[in-house]
């Protein structure tokens, strides 16, 4: 009987050892030399004769799935024999005695022994409760003991303390793979607009090891204490540190304003391949985040750009009148402080107003600039501004774009504006007439089909203490001294008001047609008060401009305001794209219309056009949303047009604004348009079928299975495709869409390119039809018949699922994934 129990005990021991071997991949030990730092102040326990376990590092960070505790243990083996690490384990626990399931870092699973006279580092981690603090945690060191009832013997406990993070601007030594690094936050910059704070952190990393280190796997996060986590963008995608080398890394992130008052930390981490867990390398406290004070003119600021240092100095600025608009010019001096020449980095300059609007400042010359070491180089910048009065509260902000056109820009610094000389604020022409102040807002030239329109906009303000009737108006244009027939001029009241109260205003436009080939400079409009029969006229004023008023370019985050009474709204540019077609292309744009009236309204109709760099113009069709929009409600308005294949598309400007109806049912035209000057880029195609944007929803497709199918039960003549999907509302689900988009689901056989099937899917409520419905874990199945399937005998290359955004018969690829036959593809 005793022999039986001895034999059974050995079997149990063997099973336990085998289970450990299965859990770890055995490989030669990766050894790191003992730390030079004294360990007497760190928690220490003895785990074997002349072998100490030292708490090298302990950290607590927040992740999407909750809090994660990480303990790095230094096994210092001063004995003459190597130590078998397979005999030892560790458990992370709380002061209350709760033990958390503890895992070993994947890279450390290959460390089977701790060599004699050396130090081996092991990192253990566990998910802990959200209320847990680092000082509440400890780690037990245990040895497997098969004579014990629970097969383990506790050797000692190492208690964590503090928060695990380094104080603001403090220096920290970190373990990264087989190397030691030293990190420090050097400085930060921050500016805010109406929605976000744009944070840039300059972070120094020094390689303390004797071999080079590839830092590509390192992730960087901005973490709120116990709260949200925001991923930083690096301004370099591949950073290698040579032995003993130090580099500056620039990190940038956009943080919602509501979070900016929180305490932030910078977290460095690496991702575990199997568990997808981000294990912290180091945590650095950031100081209280405050908007960066603008650098004064003629004061030098050092900027860090991808490992290089650039001294930047802003000079004085000047305001001038150009083509009847105000233009800001300013000079920047750049100095490359490195020892090698440096091409001018991809710097972006903007004038930022106190409201957060951005107006681009571009170089006056396209010539390539190479910055030689220690030699100052000047660049001249200029850009259109609304008026010079905004410069008192504005600043120039600088961004850095590294990695190509599609890369994100990092905020670098901001500079104060000092206007040395100025022509003064340009005043709109104003007239006083019969208790009204009549102000000329603009006189613009607007494309309209085969002709152009000259459109003059005016505001009438009641300056009396009594309500007044609207004026009965007439008038005519004078173009370059030539009077246009008054019968060809039309006046339209934009505001639907009967009477005008004290200090209230209403808007009026007057327009006439001109040939689009005619060159125009000076424009005058003679405004009259008339009667119903237009027999008795009294001149109010002659308004004039020396050149048509230029359309204003919207700042990247600026709204176009509709101020007509009863239609007040904000319109923001959302996106634009160019869909490819067979015989022609398709321009598509979206704007977000927000009702700023206190009552539900029908949105004002919009109009506009696109213009390329060759000044070719094509009119746009805009959605007409006929339902009412609640106060502060939003609706996405679409604009589109077919574009010839030979239309120059490198740079397309999108013009839009409030529409007004033309006389004699000739359609609509746009008054006082604004434009966005963004280059049209190819739409990025996702490499998987996750989180596909579909109107106000996000679509996930998974578990895709494709098999050969016999529709009659006997002969294979079709392909059956099935999948599971989630369709959930996105953050902008409160917006309505004026136009519906559809998705095209396409199956492509990679062995036989002629075997291609498509299915168009719309947003609906019946999953049994060709519709997608909001919900999770919904099943979809399609059977595609094709005689070519009967002859298919190759399956090696698999198949591809493509997803297209479809609108008005045009489509663009937005997601694609290659898959294999006969398996569940996720």
């Amino acid at each position: 009987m005793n022999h039986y129990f001895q034999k059974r005990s050995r079997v149990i021991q063997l099973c336990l050892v085998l289970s450990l071997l299965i859990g770890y991949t055995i490989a030669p030990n990766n050894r790191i030399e003992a730390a030079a730092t004294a360990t007497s102040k760190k928690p220490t326990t003895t785990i074997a004769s002349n072998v100490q376990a030292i708490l090298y590092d302990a950290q607590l960070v927040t992740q999407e799935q909750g809090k994660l505790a990480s303990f790095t243990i230094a096994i210092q083996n001063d004995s003459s024999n190597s130590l078998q690490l397979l005999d030892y384990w560790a458990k992370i626990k709380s002061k209350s005695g709760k033990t958390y399931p503890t895992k070993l870092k994947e890279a450390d699973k290959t460390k089977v022994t701790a060599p004699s006279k050396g130090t081996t580092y092991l990192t253990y981690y566990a998910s802990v409760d959200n209320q847990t603090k680092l000082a509440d945690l400890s780690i037990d060191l245990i040895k497997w003991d098969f004579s014990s009832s629970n097969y383990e013997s506790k050797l000692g406990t190492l208690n964590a303390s503090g928060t695990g993070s380094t104080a603001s601007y403090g220096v920290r030594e970190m373990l990264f793979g087989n190397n030691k690094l030293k990190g420090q936050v050097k400085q930060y910059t921050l500016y805010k607009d109406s929605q976000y704070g744009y944070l840039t952190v300059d972070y120094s990393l020094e390689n303390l090891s004797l071999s080079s280190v590839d830092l590509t796997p390192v992730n960087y996060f901005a973490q709120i204490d116990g709260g949200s986590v925001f991923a930083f963008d690096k301004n370099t995608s591949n950073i290698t540190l040579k032995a003993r080398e130090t580099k500056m890394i620039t990190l940038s992130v956009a943080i919602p304003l509501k979070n900016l008052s929180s305490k932030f930390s910078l977290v460095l981490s690496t991702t575990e391949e199997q568990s997808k867990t981000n294990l912290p390398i180091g945590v650095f406290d950031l100081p209280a985040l405050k908007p960066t004070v603008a650098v004064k003119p003629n004061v030098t600021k050092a900027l860090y750009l991808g490992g290089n240092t650039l001294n930047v100095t802003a000079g004085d600025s000047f305001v001038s009148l150009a083509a009847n608009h105000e233009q800001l010019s300013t000079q920047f001096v750049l100095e490359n402080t490195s020892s090698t020449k440096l091409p001018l980095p991809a710097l972006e300059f903007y004038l930022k107003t106190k409201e957060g609007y951005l107006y681009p400042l571009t170089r006056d010359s396209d010539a390539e600039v190479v910055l030689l070491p220690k030699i100052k180089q000047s660049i001249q910048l200029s850009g259109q501004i609304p008026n010079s009065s905004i410069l008192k509260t504005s600043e120039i902000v600088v961004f850095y774009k590294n990695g190509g056109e599609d890369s994100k820009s990092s905020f670098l610094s901001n500079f104060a504006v000092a206007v040395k000389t100025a022509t003064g604020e340009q005043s709109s022409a104003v007239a006083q007439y019969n208790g009204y102040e009549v102000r000329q807002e603009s006189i613009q030239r607007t494309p309209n089909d085969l002709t152009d329109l000259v459109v003059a906009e005016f505001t009438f303000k009641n300056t009396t203490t009594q309500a007044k009737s609207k004026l009965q108006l007439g008038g005519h244009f004078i173009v370059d001294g030539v009077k246009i027939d008054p019968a060809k001029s039309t006046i339209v009241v934009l505001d639907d008001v009967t009477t005008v109260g004290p200090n209230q205003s209403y808007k009026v436009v007057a327009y006439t047609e001109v040939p689009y080939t005619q060159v125009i400079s000076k424009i005058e409009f003679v405004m009259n008060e008339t009667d119903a029969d237009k027999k008795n006229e009294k001149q109010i004023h002659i308004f004039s401009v020396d050149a048509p008023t230029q359309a204003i370019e919207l700042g990247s985050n600026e709204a176009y305001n509709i101020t007509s009474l009863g239609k007040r709204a904000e319109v923001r540019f959302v996106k634009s794209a160019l869909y490819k077609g067979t015989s022609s292309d398709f321009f598509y744009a979206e704007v977000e219309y927000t009702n700023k009236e206190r009552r539900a309204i029908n949105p004002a109709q919009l109009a506009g056009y696109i213009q390329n760099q060759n000044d070719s113009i094509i009119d746009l069709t805009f959605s007409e949303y006929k339902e009412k929009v609640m106060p502060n409600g939003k609706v996405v308005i679409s604009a589109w047009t077919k574009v010839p294949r030979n239309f120059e598309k490198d740079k397309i400007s999108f013009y839009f604004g409030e529409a007004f109806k033309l006389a004699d049912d000739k359609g609509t035209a746009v008054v006082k348009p604004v434009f966005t000057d963004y280059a049209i880029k190819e739409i990025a195609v996702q490499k998987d079928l996750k989180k596909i944007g579909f109107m106000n929803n996000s679509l996930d497709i998974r578990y895709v299975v494709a098999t050969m199918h016999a529709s009659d039960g006997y002969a294979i003549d079709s392909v059956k495709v099935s999948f599971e999907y989630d369709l959930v509302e996105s953050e902008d689900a409160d917006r309505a869409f004026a136009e519906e988009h559809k998705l095209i689901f396409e199956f492509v056989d990679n062995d036989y390119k002629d075997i291609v099937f498509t299915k168009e899917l719309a947003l609906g409520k019946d999953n049994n039809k060709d519709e997608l419905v909001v919900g999770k874990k919904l099943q979809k199945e399609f059977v595609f018949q094709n005689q070519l399937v009967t002859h298919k005998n190759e399956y090696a290359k698999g198949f591809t699922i493509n997803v297209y955004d479809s609108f008005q018969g045009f489509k663009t690829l937005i997601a694609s994934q290659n898959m294999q036959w006969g398996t569940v593809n996720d």
Side-chain angles (χ1 to χ4, degrees):
M1 184 67 69
N2 291 335
H3 175 73
Y4 169 80
F5 281 107
Q6 290 175 359
K7 183 177 180 181
R8 186 182 181 194
S9 176
R10 292 193 186 98
V11 171
I12 293 174
Q13 295 178 28
L14 180 60
C15 290
L16 285 170
V17 172
L18 287 174
S19 68
L20 291 171
L21 289 173
I22 292 171
Y24 306 120
T25 302
I26 305 301
N29 183 52
N30 295 321
R31 177 178 174 179
I32 301 177
E33 295 301 323
T37 306
T39 59
S40 58
K41 295 182 180 180
K42 295 185 176 181
T44 305
T45 188
T46 300
I47 61 172
S49 178
N50 291 323
V51 180
Q52 305 289 318
I54 305 164
L55 182 58
Y56 174 80
D57 199 2
Q59 294 168 90
L60 185 66
V61 294
T62 302
Q63 300 192 347
E64 290 184 1
Q65 59 269 40
K67 283 191 174 181
L68 183 88
S70 171
F71 285 75
T72 298
I73 309 300
I75 308 298
Q76 186 171 306
N77 185 2
D78 294 326
S79 70
S80 56
N81 299 311
S82 61
L83 182 72
Q84 294 296 321
L85 295 178
L86 193 61
D87 296 336
Y88 298 86
W89 187 244
K91 292 183 179 180
I92 297 174
K93 68 177 186 179
S94 66
K95 284 184 177 180
S96 64
K98 181 177 181 178
T99 301
Y100 300 98
T102 304
K103 297 179 181 180
L104 180 65
K105 183 179 177 181
E106 290 173 13
D108 292 344
K109 293 177 182 179
T110 61
K111 300 175 182 178
V112 181
T113 60
S116 172
K117 308 302 180 182
T119 302
T120 302
Y121 295 88
L122 301 174
T123 297
Y124 297 91
Y125 64 95
S127 296
V128 299
D129 301 324
N130 286 332
Q131 297 76 23
T132 303
K133 296 180 179 179
L134 184 63
D136 298 332
L137 298 173
S138 62
I139 187 167
D140 285 346
L141 281 301
I142 65 172
K143 183 176 182 180
W144 300 118
D145 183 358
F146 298 108
S147 64
S148 175
S149 59
N150 60 350
Y151 304 113
E152 61 184 49
S153 176
K154 180 178 174 182
L155 303 176
T157 298
L158 303 176
N159 294 306
S161 60
T163 63
S165 60
T166 302
S168 300
Y169 304 117
V171 179
R172 183 190 190 103
E173 180 188 286
M174 300 170 290
L175 190 66
F176 176 59
N178 295 338
N179 301 276
K180 294 278 185 69
L181 304 175
K182 185 166 69 175
Q184 182 184 20
V185 173
K186 286 292 188 179
Q187 65 179 17
Y188 80 88
T189 53
L190 174 72
Y191 98 88
K192 300 189 297 184
D193 61 18
S194 59
Q195 294 179 300
Y196 294 95
Y198 298 89
L199 173 66
T200 297
V201 176
D202 290 319
Y203 180 72
S204 172
L205 267 178
E206 179 183 357
N207 180 9
L208 301 177
S209 305
L210 299 178
S211 58
S212 63
V213 179
D214 179 13
L215 296 177
T216 304
V218 179
N219 307 312
Y220 304 85
F221 297 95
Q223 173 185 287
I224 295 177
D225 189 19
S228 303
V229 176
F230 303 90
F232 277 105
D233 292 313
K234 297 177 288 187
N235 69 2
T236 52
S237 58
N238 185 6
I239 304 173
T240 300
L241 281 179
K242 299 177 183 178
R244 304 299 182 183
E245 184 182 17
T246 301
K247 280 188 178 180
M248 195 72 65
I249 301 171
T250 300
L251 308 168
S252 60
V253 66
I255 300 172
L257 291 182
K258 64 181 181 180
N259 298 121
L260 276 183
S261 59
S262 304
K263 179 182 178 182
F264 277 89
S265 298
L266 167 63
V267 179
L268 280 67
S269 70
T270 56
T271 303
E272 293 284 271
E273 287 297 327
Q274 294 182 9
S275 64
K276 304 302 180 184
T277 302
N278 282 315
L279 285 184
I281 301 171
V283 181
F284 298 80
D285 286 341
L286 295 176
L289 299 180
K290 298 178 180 179
T292 306
V293 177
V295 180
K296 294 180 179 180
N298 302 309
V299 175
T300 300
K301 175 71 177 291
L303 303 180
Y304 301 105
L305 307 172
N308 298 296
T309 305
L310 193 67
N311 287 340
V312 179
T313 308
D316 293 323
S317 298
F318 301 85
V319 176
S320 60
L321 288 178
N324 205 35
H325 68 261
E326 292 187 67
Q327 181 163 302
L328 176 70
S329 299
T330 190
Q331 184 184 65
F332 273 76
V333 178
L334 311 177
E335 182 184 7
N336 173 18
T337 61
S338 68
S339 58
T340 58
K341 65 180 181 180
L342 175 68
L344 180 65
L347 299 180
E348 297 175 335
F349 298 83
Y350 295 88
L351 179 74
K352 172 181 171 287
T353 68
K354 67 177 181 179
E355 297 86 5
Y357 301 152
L358 299 178
Y359 296 92
L361 302 175
T362 57
R363 285 179 53 208
D364 291 348
S365 171
D366 294 330
E368 182 179 357
V369 175
V370 177
L371 304 174
L372 299 175
K374 312 299 182 183
I375 295 179
K376 295 180 179 181
Q377 179 104 20
S378 297
I379 60 172
Q380 195 71 29
L381 304 170
S382 61
Q384 183 177 337
I385 60 175
N387 56 72
S388 58
S389 64
I390 67 172
L391 298 179
K392 298 176 183 179
T393 55
S394 299
E395 58 190 22
I396 296 174
V397 293
V398 184
F399 294 85
Y400 175 49
K401 177 173 284 190
N402 183 44
E405 287 296 322
D406 294 329
S407 63
K408 295 183 179 179
S409 300
S410 303
F411 169 63
L412 289 180
S413 188
N414 49 334
F415 297 84
V417 181
V419 180
K420 189 173 183 180
T421 59
T423 59
E425 183 180 359
Q426 180 187 6
S427 298
S428 298
V430 179
Q432 304 293 330
Y433 179 78
N434 195 21
Y436 277 105
E437 177 189 86
V438 186
R439 180 180 295 271
Q440 171 196 300
E441 300 291 350
S442 66
I443 299 181
Q444 293 186 308
R445 181 171 181 168
T446 302
N448 188 60
D449 293 333
L450 299 178
T451 63
D452 282 0
L453 297 179
V454 174
V455 182
E457 181 187 12
F458 304 95
T459 298
F460 288 75
K461 181 180 180 181
N462 179 4
T463 58
T464 71
T465 59
Q466 303 292 325
K468 294 180 65 66
S469 300
K470 292 181 295 184
L471 296 176
Q472 185 77 30
L473 299 174
H476 61 271
F477 285 91
I478 301 174
V479 177
D480 291 332
V482 178
K483 179 180 178 180
I484 306 297
D485 184 355
K488 294 183 179 181
S489 296
T490 305
I491 294 178
V492 179
V493 179
L494 296 180
D495 297 313
D496 187 15
V497 294
T498 304
T499 60
V500 185
N503 291 318
Q504 285 189 334
S505 303
Y506 69 99
K507 291 185 180 293
V508 169
V509 294
Y511 70 91
T512 189
E513 293 183 353
V514 294
Y516 80 91
T517 55
Q518 182 175 346
V519 178
I520 294 176
S521 55
K522 186 172 184 178
I523 302 174
E524 298 170 276
F525 182 72
V526 181
M527 181 182 288
N528 304 318
E529 183 184 15
T530 185
D531 54 21
D533 298 327
K534 295 187 177 181
K535 293 181 178 180
N536 298 310
E537 293 186 339
K538 184 178 181 180
Q539 183 172 299
I540 296 175
H541 192 64
I542 299 177
F543 299 91
S544 67
V545 293
D546 292 330
T549 310
Q550 299 295 310
I552 296 175
E553 180 176 5
L554 283 180
S556 61
N557 53 353
E558 183 179 1
Y560 166 71
N561 292 299
I562 296 176
T563 57
S564 302
L565 293 179
K567 299 178 184 178
R568 287 173 293 198
E570 286 184 353
V571 184
R572 294 182 183 275
F573 171 78
V574 177
K575 66 178 181 181
S576 60
L578 204 62
Y579 291 23
K580 297 294 183 181
T582 53
S583 59
S584 62
D585 293 336
F586 188 79
F587 174 84
Y588 175 79
E590 287 180 355
V591 295
E592 185 182 77
Y593 187 106
T594 304
N595 175 19
K596 289 301 179 182
E597 293 287 349
R598 289 177 290 177
R599 298 190 179 185
I601 63 168
N602 294 109
Q605 183 63 31
L606 302 179
Y609 54 91
I610 56 174
Q611 181 176 355
N612 66 9
Q613 59 207 54
N614 296 331
D615 293 331
S616 298
I617 291 172
I618 302 177
D619 282 339
L620 294 168
T621 300
F622 278 77
S623 305
E624 186 175 355
Y625 193 68
K626 297 183 179 180
E627 298 182 22
K628 289 189 178 294
V629 179
M630 300 299 290
N632 286 316
K634 299 178 180 180
V635 61
V636 176
I637 304 293
S638 301
W640 66 90
T641 185
K642 288 185 179 180
V643 179
R645 296 303 295 268
N646 61 354
F647 190 75
E648 182 59 52
K649 309 179 186 73
D650 286 345
K651 190 174 184 181
I652 295 179
S653 297
F654 170 46
Y655 289 77
F656 68 94
E658 183 181 3
F660 65 93
K661 291 184 178 181
L662 300 176
D664 302 324
D665 294 327
K666 290 185 176 181
T668 60
V670 61
V671 57
K672 201 175 180 179
V674 295
F675 71 97
T676 60
D677 206 9
Y678 303 115
I680 301 298
K681 305 172 186 175
E682 289 188 11
I683 297 175
V685 180
Q686 292 183 202
K687 301 302 182 183
D688 56 34
L689 307 182
K690 308 295 184 185
K691 296 183 179 179
I692 303 171
F694 182 33
M695 298 179 73
N696 277 338
N697 303 285
S698 176
L699 173 65
D700 279 357
I701 297 177
R702 57 181 175 272
Y703 306 151
V704 180
V705 178
T707 57
M708 307 304 291
H709 181 70
S711 59
D712 59 1
Y714 296 99
I716 292 177
D717 62 351
S718 55
V719 173
K720 181 165 69 174
V721 181
S722 63
F723 58 86
E724 181 180 279
Y725 73 91
D726 293 344
L727 187 65
V728 297
E729 292 184 341
S730 61
E731 294 179 356
D732 297 324
D734 60 332
R735 303 185 306 176
F737 269 75
E739 298 289 338
E740 181 181 292
H741 285 240
K742 294 182 179 180
L743 290 181
I744 293 179
F745 182 91
E746 181 180 65
F747 172 94
V748 180
D749 190 312
N750 295 337
D751 294 297
Y752 300 87
K753 295 300 183 181
D754 290 334
I755 302 180
V756 178
F757 312 113
T758 61
K759 179 68 71 172
E760 189 173 68
L761 302 171
L763 182 64
K765 297 183 179 180
D766 191 344
N767 194 44
N768 295 321
K769 297 181 179 179
D770 292 339
E771 295 179 345
L772 295 172
V773 300
V774 175
K776 292 186 176 182
K777 296 183 178 180
L778 302 173
Q779 305 299 320
K780 207 76 176 172
E781 180 179 288
F782 305 127
V783 176
F784 303 109
Q785 284 188 297
N786 189 315
Q787 291 301 320
L788 294 174
V789 175
T790 306
H791 307 289
K792 178 176 173 59
N793 55 16
E794 293 184 23
Y795 298 88
K797 295 182 181 178
F799 61 92
T800 300
I801 299 297
N802 295 320
V803 178
Y804 295 85
D805 176 16
S806 175
F807 182 80
Q808 297 287 339
F810 287 79
K811 67 179 183 179
T812 185
L813 182 64
I814 57 176
S816 180
Q817 184 172 344
N818 294 327
M819 300 184 179
Q820 297 300 317
W821 286 91
T823 63
V824 178
N825 297 274
D826 189 7

